[in-house]
Amino acid sequence: MATYLTVTGGLEDVKLHAVPCHIHYDGKANISQYFESNSRKSVEAMTASFRGRPLKGEVINVPHGYTGLVVKETRKAVTEDEDRHLTTINKFKEINYWNLDRTPCEDDKMKQALHWLDLAKVLHQPLEDESSQKSTVGN
Amino acid sequence: MDQTKYEEDNSKNCVLDSPVPACAKSEPCYLGIDEAGRGPVLGPMVYGICYSPVSMKEKFGEMGFADSKTLTEEQREKIFERMDKETDTLLGWVVEILSPTYISNSMLSRTKYNLNALSHDCAIRLIQNALDKGVHVTEVYVDTVGDPVKYQTKLKLLFPEIDITVAKKADSLYPIVGAASICAKVCRDKAVKSWVFSEGITMAEDTSYGSGYPGDPNTKKFMNDKLDKVFGYPQFVRFGWSTASQLIEKQGYPAEWVEVLEKTKVGIVE
């Protein structure tokens, strides 16, 4: 199975909220009206309420050199072996990340996922012979 | 009652108060506590206190604080207006508005904070508020929430210097509690009536939300008309009430909280 991503030009920046809740719905929602209207941002904290539950949040920036993309699967693959086709619909620079009644911390999966980008960079960087030898030899 | 301060952000709690009359600092005072809007699924709950010098009990009684529940909304407003004119000589009042968002969030937080505990804590804050203002409180009368004996013990431990009476129907037994009840009720009625929806929802001029109890046809209509399938309800609604949660479950899109899901998974593994 392969995944194909079609990137279209002229993508619009959108505001993204990641809530700790699976809503069984895919489509437009009255976010500014019902959610952003009750979310508050101060120096110390970001708070909101979703379906009566208290949320605590943080803005996570998309790391430098990366672009956040919102993709859509035009036709859902039926089997696991089938290729998947994704198309970009929007882009984003930051994620409003929300936890259920808990201040976001480094243990959160979203943050750990972003750490992978740094790790991946180190892992995939071509080794320079000299420097690697130097470090092996030590000082 | 000027509620501008609460209207600035009606998702947050807000304390409103009268000036403290000089006599309340120099003379021993008795203080009454009562609440309004505990049961309804709509709007804030309001806690109120009223205090006055013990020596002026007779004059205070002349204000006519009958059981506030037997009074009409207009009568209560008139009495409150009269009370508010006496805040330099006879009495003082403080109310705390507990926003529906705060109530929802408390009841649905990680460590559940139930309505009784929430009520007790608010009463405690208000007694402390009066003491901090310099009111010379010697007696406190409270309409009970939950078991009166336990509540009384809790308050006595916190305020050992004060003579505390917790009773059922205290608002009809003690005029000072009746007065507190009027402050709370006038405040709650006004907050509901002049509610500005942060969601931008506008209601027709003559809209009544009803009593806020699930059986009320106006309340029912509001709950049915204003449901958003993704977000549930505007912040005016207390999400912790079964009336609200059942309607969302029935008419809204299903939603599963990630942490509950994780727990379920663990259950399967085991």
Side-chain angles (χ1 to χ4, degrees):
Chain A
M1 178 202 83
T3 302
Y4 297 95
L5 178 65
T6 311
V7 181
T8 51
L11 290 173
E12 208 181 312
D13 265 312
V14 287
K15 198 166 178 185
L16 210 74
H17 292 281
V19 293
C21 181
H22 293 294
I23 305 154
H24 294 234
Y25 167 70
D26 204 359
K28 287 207 180 300
N30 305 317
I31 298 165
S32 61
Q33 190 190 359
Y34 278 91
F35 186 71
E36 287 170 357
S37 61
N38 77 64
S39 66
R40 303 279 179 270
K41 199 174 170 180
S42 70
V43 188
E44 311 93 59
M46 223 165 94
T47 60
S49 183
F50 179 76
R51 292 201 179 187
R53 283 160 184 83
L55 303 184
K56 289 181 183 166
E58 189 181 294
V59 175
I60 298 176
N61 289 307
V62 171
H64 185 70
Y66 288 84
T67 304
L69 291 172
V70 182
V71 298
K72 196 172 184 168
E73 190 160 32
T74 30
R75 194 183 60 85
K76 261 219 155 77
V78 184
T79 64
E80 275 187 21
D81 307 324
E82 225 174 308
D83 288 346
R84 297 182 69 181
H85 296 272
L86 306 174
T87 312
T88 57
I89 48 172
N90 286 116
K91 62 184 170 69
F92 59 90
K93 291 193 180 81
E94 55 182 36
I95 302 162
N96 293 280
Y97 175 74
W98 299 99
N99 266 343
L100 174 62
D101 197 17
R102 191 165 50 78
T103 309
C105 66
E106 294 304 316
D107 288 341
D108 292 330
K109 281 178 188 162
M110 176 77 82
K111 288 208 164 183
Q112 290 188 337
L114 287 172
H115 282 322
W116 168 248
L117 297 180
D118 293 329
L119 273 175
K121 198 173 157 190
V122 176
L123 283 173
H124 295 289
Q125 232 164 20
L127 286 176
E128 286 171 33
D129 278 354
E130 273 178 53
S131 66
S132 69
Q133 270 170 11
K134 259 183 210 162
S135 67
T136 319
V137 174
N139 296 319
Chain B
M1 194 182 284
D2 182 14
Q3 297 187 357
T4 322
K5 195 175 146 198
Y6 178 56
E7 284 159 8
E8 277 169 23
D9 186 350
N10 62 20
S11 72
K12 297 264 186 295
N13 296 349
C14 177
V15 176
L16 304 172
D17 56 4
S18 74
V20 181
C23 58
K25 292 185 183 175
S26 58
E27 287 183 46
C29 286
Y30 65 138
L31 179 154
I33 309 178
D34 201 7
E35 122 283 311
R38 186 180 162 78
V41 66
L42 300 177
M45 175 162 110
V46 178
Y47 251 80
I49 62 167
C50 182
Y51 51 87
S52 178
V54 179
S55 65
M56 297 184 184
K57 265 190 183 169
E58 211 169 305
K59 195 183 168 199
F60 189 83
E62 287 164 16
M63 302 279 300
F65 304 115
D67 180 359
S68 71
K69 287 190 183 74
T70 64
L71 300 169
T72 65
E73 195 174 330
E74 276 179 4
Q75 285 172 319
R76 280 194 300 265
E77 262 165 38
K78 283 222 173 85
I79 295 174
F80 179 74
E81 270 172 41
R82 281 215 308 278
M83 282 175 70
D84 216 24
K85 286 190 185 113
E86 303 287 343
T87 52
D88 50 350
T89 51
L90 178 66
L91 59 87
W93 57 265
V94 185
V95 293
E96 181 165 353
I97 307 173
L98 302 174
S99 77
T101 305
Y102 172 76
I103 298 171
S104 301
N105 287 175
S106 298
M107 291 175 76
L108 299 169
S109 64
R110 221 166 249 284
T111 41
K112 291 217 169 47
Y113 184 27
N114 71 42
L115 207 60
N116 277 8
L118 194 144
S119 300
H120 290 178
D121 289 346
C122 188
I124 291 160
R125 276 201 301 277
L126 287 174
I127 298 172
Q128 195 56 52
N129 181 303
L131 293 172
D132 292 346
K133 281 184 163 76
V135 179
H136 184 19
V137 184
T138 55
E139 300 166 29
V140 165
Y141 299 87
V142 196
D143 200 23
T144 197
V145 167
D147 178 39
V149 179
K150 276 187 199 158
Y151 192 12
Q152 183 152 332
T153 312
K154 189 172 175 179
L155 291 175
K156 273 186 175 160
L157 275 170
L158 286 161
F159 304 102
E161 312 284 305
I162 303 174
D163 190 12
I164 290 164
T165 309
V166 179
K168 278 183 190 164
K169 294 185 181 155
D171 55 335
S172 47
L173 288 171
Y174 308 100
I176 196 79
V177 182
S181 160
I182 284 170
C183 295
K185 201 106 177 53
V186 165
C187 180
R188 147 93 190 165
D189 286 345
K190 193 179 173 193
V192 169
K193 220 185 222 173
S194 55
W195 187 266
V196 177
F197 288 86
S198 60
E199 295 82 6
I201 295 168
T202 47
M203 304 293 290
E205 192 69 48
D206 56 347
T207 308
S208 165
Y209 301 112
S211 63
Y213 285 94
D216 189 297
N218 284 323
T219 305
K220 237 184 213 167
K221 187 172 171 0
F222 178 87
M223 297 298 283
N224 279 311
D225 290 355
K226 300 300 173 201
L227 188 130
D228 180 278
K229 289 182 167 226
V230 175
F231 298 97
Y233 283 108
Q235 297 302 306
F236 187 48
V237 172
R238 301 182 191 170
F239 286 75
W241 266 236
S242 60
T243 321
S245 57
Q246 280 168 9
L247 278 165
I248 294 172
E249 206 169 300
K250 219 158 69 186
Q251 295 176 29
Y253 297 119
E256 288 153 45
W257 290 86
V258 171
E259 298 194 31
V260 178
L261 276 181
E262 280 171 358
K263 264 185 211 156
T264 320
K265 270 186 204 157
V266 172
I268 293 164
V269 172
E270 281 168 357

